[in-house]
Amino acid sequence: GDKVRVKIWREDDDPLLDLVSGTPTANGSSVTAANPTRFTLAQDDTDDWFVGLYSIEVAVIDAGDGLIRHADSGVFVLHKSPGGNVT
């Protein structure tokens, strides 16, 4: 089926996180293409990120031709946390 892709980056840098549904990171960050879409960000994937503002893009990629059919972007805010993954 269609895929959901989530990218997070800071300013003009390459993405710090580039997730595609069905392919979680080694630390457990993931995104699903189900309805509703679920985005899980593991703290271990953000340990070296600075507190502050990041850009985020969420796109739906058509399974038939691989083209983006819908995309939305916005601001992702990373706050300081005392630690531990939230489930």
Side-chain angles (χ1 to χ4, degrees):
D2 293 344
K3 298 283 187 177
V4 174
R5 184 175 189 180
V6 176
K7 292 190 285 186
I8 299 175
W9 69 95
R10 193 162 194 163
E11 298 174 12
D12 293 329
D13 290 337
D14 292 331
L16 296 166
L17 187 72
D18 190 348
L19 282 175
V20 176
S21 56
T23 310
T25 67
N27 294 318
S29 292
S30 64
V31 62
T32 66
N35 186 8
T37 296
R38 189 171 305 254
F39 173 50
T40 302
L41 183 60
Q43 184 174 353
D44 290 342
D45 281 330
T46 64
D47 280 344
D48 58 349
W49 295 12
F50 297 103
V51 170
L53 302 177
Y54 293 79
S55 296
I56 185 170
E57 176 186 86
V58 180
V60 176
I61 303 169
D62 188 278
D65 58 18
L67 296 176
I68 293 176
R69 295 296 173 200
H70 178 78
D72 203 357
S73 61
V75 176
F76 176 88
V77 181
L78 183 66
H79 296 278
K80 186 174 180 173
S81 172
N85 288 336
V86 176
T87 57

